[in-house]
Amino acid sequence: MTVVIVRDAEVADVQQIVGLDARCYGEITEYQTDDPSGMFTERIRNAPGYFWIAEVNGVVEGLLSCQPTVLRPELFDSWEQCTGNGTFAGTLDLNSPVVYVAALTVSPVGSSLGITDRLLIHALGIGIERGKNLA
């Protein structure tokens, strides 16, 4: 039986999150860090409740991370600028109605189980509950 659970990411999940990114994209080289574990850890800590994972039988097969941001969409320049180099440091504003989606990663296993839709629906519901109106 396949069990899919969507939940908030925790620092304890970072090793699996980095592993998912590596499986889907290869080694992380495009980020402004040589420490992807540290980047994801900071992202989880800086924007609690805005980073979700999807587990399939206990294995992380998808993730969606976003942040309410101090930036207006017309000021979005680069991923690095919009996300504080992937950590959300300096760009987070929990009261902002604007949400910047930083990452959506789903493995082939997750895709076959509809995890992309599950993560997006989960995030949409939370965004509505929290008064967000632009992503």
Side-chain angles (χ1 to χ4, degrees):
M1 178 176 173
T2 301
V3 177
V4 177
I5 297 172
V6 174
R7 64 172 176 82
D8 285 355
E10 300 173 357
V11 172
D13 300 314
V14 167
Q15 183 176 2
Q16 282 201 66
I17 290 167
V18 171
L20 171 67
D21 240 29
R23 283 184 310 186
C24 292
Y25 304 117
E27 292 301 313
I28 297 174
T29 58
E30 71 274 14
Y31 296 125
Q32 296 292 325
T33 181
D34 56 1
D35 180 16
S37 294
M39 178 189 66
F40 285 120
T41 297
E42 288 305 306
R43 194 180 301 177
I44 291 167
R45 288 182 177 151
N46 286 333
Y50 287 94
F51 192 143
W52 306 283
I53 60 170
E55 295 178 315
V56 177
N57 297 328
V59 176
V60 175
E61 297 290 353
L63 67 84
L64 174 62
S65 65
C66 58
Q67 66 164 334
T69 181
V70 297
L71 300 173
R72 304 301 304 163
E74 60 272 11
L75 300 177
F76 292 174
D77 182 37
S78 68
W79 182 89
E80 291 82 8
Q81 175 250 352
C82 291
T83 66
N85 291 320
T87 66
F88 300 160
T91 56
L92 177 72
D93 177 1
L94 292 175
N95 296 314
S96 174
V98 178
V99 175
Y100 183 88
V101 178
L104 173 61
T105 303
V106 178
S107 72
V109 169
S111 289
S112 72
L113 297 170
I115 283 178
T116 300
D117 291 343
R118 289 178 190 222
L119 285 165
L120 289 170
I121 290 166
H122 183 80
L124 183 61
I126 289 175
I128 290 168
E129 285 176 7
R130 295 179 182 167
K132 309 309 176 193
N133 61 26
L134 182 63

